[in-house]
Amino acid sequence: MDLVIGPLDLSAHVDEALAVQAIAFGLGADEVAVRRQIVLRHMTYPGARALGATVDGRLVGFVYGMPNDRAHWWSTVVEPYLRAQRNDSWLDDSFVITELHVHPVYQNRGVGRSLITTITDGATQPRSILSAIDTDSPARGLYHSLGYQDLARRVLFPSAPKPYAVMGAPLPLRRP
């Protein structure tokens, strides 16, 4: 496998990236259309960055994130849950991993680990936060192995059918 991790112009490759996310996350066309607008808006935010994982020039995974801002929608949803656990200070001076997805064929091969460690290695913030479906999944196992800890659980996002966990880790992320 000739895997290349590098900068991704996510606005220009949003449809390729969302095709990967749709397969990895089981999204329908309507959900992809909504997420397309969200991704394009996020990429206009200060400090937003994206990386892609390609094999033979084909996008097989991507990650993007940005310095967290308490005024952003995600922060306004998770803040009460974090405050209830006395963890709301994590919303300040953190790099948020907004999305990380790897095509199922390339999962469990270190692609997600390479994407998240590479993007956070370039962050100027001292820590990182993210949300993941609150279940015992390979994704949560990866995040725990990198040093992420649960900051709040059973977080409910509007229109999301399953609860999420908000996780945080000091940077740089832990290496095996």
Side-chain angles (χ1 to χ4, degrees):
M1 180 171 79
D2 188 23
L3 177 73
V4 177
I5 304 284
L8 174 65
D9 180 348
L10 188 53
S11 297
H13 296 277
V14 65
D15 295 320
E16 281 176 84
L18 289 176
V20 170
Q21 183 176 356
I23 293 166
F25 222 56
L27 302 179
D30 290 347
E31 292 169 295
V32 169
V34 169
R35 288 173 186 254
R36 187 178 197 279
Q37 299 310 311
I38 294 168
V39 170
L40 292 172
R41 183 177 70 244
H42 283 165
M43 294 316 294
T44 67
Y45 291 176
R49 296 183 292 116
L51 296 175
T54 57
V55 173
D56 300 325
R58 198 175 108 243
L59 190 70
V60 299
F62 74 100
V63 63
Y64 81 92
M66 64 199 79
N68 194 55
D69 183 329
R70 281 181 179 256
H72 291 164
W73 176 84
W74 182 85
S75 287
T76 66
V77 173
V78 303
E79 191 272 338
Y81 295 92
L82 291 171
R83 187 171 3 98
Q85 300 298 318
R86 294 194 168 102
N87 285 326
D88 57 309
S89 64
W90 277 84
L91 293 172
D92 300 316
D93 214 15
S94 290
F95 186 82
V96 62
I97 300 297
T98 310
E99 299 287 352
L100 170 61
H101 299 285
V102 176
H103 190 288
V105 170
Y106 295 93
Q107 290 176 5
N108 300 308
R109 297 187 187 190
V111 177
R113 180 180 301 276
S114 293
L115 284 166
I116 195 170
T117 56
T118 303
I119 200 166
T120 57
D121 282 352
T124 58
Q125 295 75 19
R127 54 195 178 180
S128 172
I129 54 176
L130 56 78
S131 55
I133 294 175
D134 193 359
T135 186
D136 186 20
S137 65
R140 295 235 317 133
L142 168 65
Y143 302 143
H144 283 302
S145 77
L146 293 166
Y148 284 91
Q149 298 296 318
D150 293 337
L151 302 175
R153 303 223 21 215
R154 316 288 312 156
V155 175
L156 301 174
F157 288 99
S159 80
K162 298 176 182 172
Y164 279 70
V166 176
M167 305 176 76
L171 294 180
L173 294 177
R174 185 187 308 143
R175 300 309 202 267

